[in-house]
Amino acid sequence: MKSIFEKIINREIPAEILWEDEVCIVIKDIEPQAPFHCLVIPKRKIERIALAVESDGKTIGHLLIIARQMATDHNLDSGFRIVINNGAEGGESVPHLHVHVLGGRQMKWPPG
Ligand code: 5GP
């Protein structure tokens, strides 16, 4: 079954796209948890970080570099947070790996 993110990548459902290249797409989160909240999503589906293998390393590295680029492009100079939720207890709700980039407010620790 196609994930909601595959449908967005295929333009079957709309999303606000901030960046796209051959490896990933970046969209604004539909339910933002901070003034800036985007998702960096690999086009080639990896279900979750727990299922990533050595050969996914280049893709995952690219996701982090683009996450950093999003923070720079959106002037998150005073700080930002990168999050990957994994599995039910980790708070994952979409089974297609994605990197959250959040910023524009003071982050708390520990996270909820
Ligand atoms: P997770 O909970 O799996 O770490 O993150 C999934 C994220 O995807 C959530 O923050 C949720 O708001 C976002 N999301 C779920 N469905 C959609 C959608 O259809 N469009 C967009 N832009 N974001 C979505």
Side-chain angles (χ1 to χ4, degrees):
M1 204 177 95
K2 266 191 228 165
S3 72
I4 192 102
F5 294 155
E6 283 172 291
K7 290 182 185 164
I8 288 172
I9 291 162
N10 295 339
R11 306 300 199 270
E12 290 165 35
I13 61 168
E16 201 171 328
I17 297 170
L18 300 179
W19 172 266
E20 184 168 20
D21 60 31
E22 60 284 358
V23 175
C24 71
I25 191 166
V26 181
I27 60 170
K28 280 198 175 176
D29 198 291
I30 205 166
E31 239 180 274
Q33 301 301 316
F36 179 80
H37 186 178
C38 74
L39 304 170
V40 187
I41 306 164
K43 288 185 170 174
R44 185 177 56 77
K45 184 175 169 186
I46 300 166
E47 208 158 296
R48 62 184 54 84
I49 197 70
L51 295 175
V53 295
E54 186 70 29
S55 58
D56 294 323
K58 201 171 166 199
T59 297
I60 293 166
H62 183 74
L63 301 181
L64 289 177
I65 291 296
I66 296 299
R68 190 273 299 153
Q69 185 184 309
M70 289 300 110
T72 305
D73 290 354
H74 293 85
N75 306 311
L76 303 180
D77 310 319
S78 47
F80 59 92
R81 182 168 288 172
I82 288 175
V83 173
I84 298 175
N85 294 324
N86 188 93
E89 208 168 306
E92 175 200 307
S93 61
V94 178
H96 182 145
L97 178 64
H98 47 284
V99 176
H100 295 258
V101 184
L102 302 117
R105 66 166 170 84
Q106 179 62 54
M107 297 295 157
K108 297 185 182 78
W109 196 263

